[in-house]
Amino acid sequence: MRQIDKDHSGSITADELQQALSNGSWTPFNPETVRLMIGMFDRDNSGAIEFNEFEALWQYVTDWQRTFRSYDQDNSGTIDRQELKTGYRLSERMYTLLITKFDRSDKGSINFDDFIQCCLILQILTNAFRSRDRNLNGWITIGYEDFLGMVFSLNMN
């Protein structure tokens, strides 16, 4: 942690974490992904990661690296449409939407940092949907204001 804590404050800021992480494409780690991860592990709501929080966050990133490598079947360092299909059962239209939304490099594939963000958002939305899918059949009926309330209450720090 000391190597990452450049200002020696005893905590890791979003900028420090972004500089410490690598997405494998020689571009800065996605700041939105960093923000989501800090929001998940910043238990004291300080806006930074303390030492006790950092250990859990680093393990989380390590676990995501393993997951990413399991998807990246061709070892290209990115996840393409076919590789993304190995983890999710969605329509072709949805795969196109996910690739378009999370492909910041415009190469038709998703880098490590964007893959984390994609999966986090899918998980958050899936959990919100499941909480209303009382019959567990993949369908919900929801009014507009109820939908807005559901979306705005999601924890996407």
Side-chain angles (χ1 to χ4, degrees):
M1 177 167 152
R2 288 184 196 100
Q3 296 163 335
I4 298 170
D5 182 15
K6 300 293 184 193
D7 64 2
H8 306 291
S9 65
S11 60
I12 307 294
T13 65
D15 288 340
E16 290 170 330
L17 183 60
Q18 182 183 23
Q19 291 172 10
L21 296 172
S22 170
N23 65 11
S25 67
W26 303 103
T27 58
F29 211 83
N30 186 329
E32 181 63 18
T33 305
V34 172
R35 188 184 67 77
L36 281 168
M37 290 190 310
I38 284 184
M40 291 173 63
F41 290 93
D42 180 17
R43 301 290 179 229
D44 61 0
N45 295 317
S46 66
I49 299 296
E50 310 304 321
F51 180 74
N52 60 327
E53 298 164 330
F54 179 75
E55 189 175 0
L57 180 132
W58 200 254
Q59 182 60 51
Y60 185 76
V61 170
T62 302
D63 292 344
W64 273 115
Q65 285 175 322
R66 274 193 295 278
T67 301
F68 183 83
R69 286 185 190 117
S70 73
Y71 276 73
D72 184 16
Q73 297 168 350
D74 64 0
N75 294 315
S76 65
T78 62
I79 305 296
D80 64 24
R81 171 191 291 274
Q82 284 306 117
E83 291 167 331
L84 190 58
K85 288 180 178 182
T86 63
Y88 293 97
R89 290 186 350 224
L90 302 169
S91 69
E92 289 299 321
R93 187 173 124 287
M94 190 54 59
Y95 288 116
T96 299
L97 180 64
L98 290 173
I99 294 289
T100 301
K101 171 78 176 152
F102 295 102
D103 174 19
R104 290 187 305 140
S105 61
D106 264 348
K107 294 181 181 176
S109 58
I110 302 173
N111 291 325
F112 174 59
D113 52 344
D114 301 314
F115 176 74
I116 294 173
Q117 184 183 1
C118 175
C119 292
L120 286 175
I121 290 174
L122 281 173
Q123 188 61 52
I124 290 166
L125 294 172
T126 298
N127 291 343
F129 185 90
R130 280 187 182 151
S131 72
R132 301 192 183 256
D133 184 11
R134 289 170 180 73
N135 297 329
L136 302 175
N137 63 3
W139 292 93
I140 62 173
T141 302
I142 189 168
Y144 181 64
E145 286 194 15
D146 196 21
F147 169 75
L148 289 177
M150 180 179 78
V151 169
F152 289 133
S153 68
L154 297 177
N155 187 14
M156 290 200 224
N157 297 328

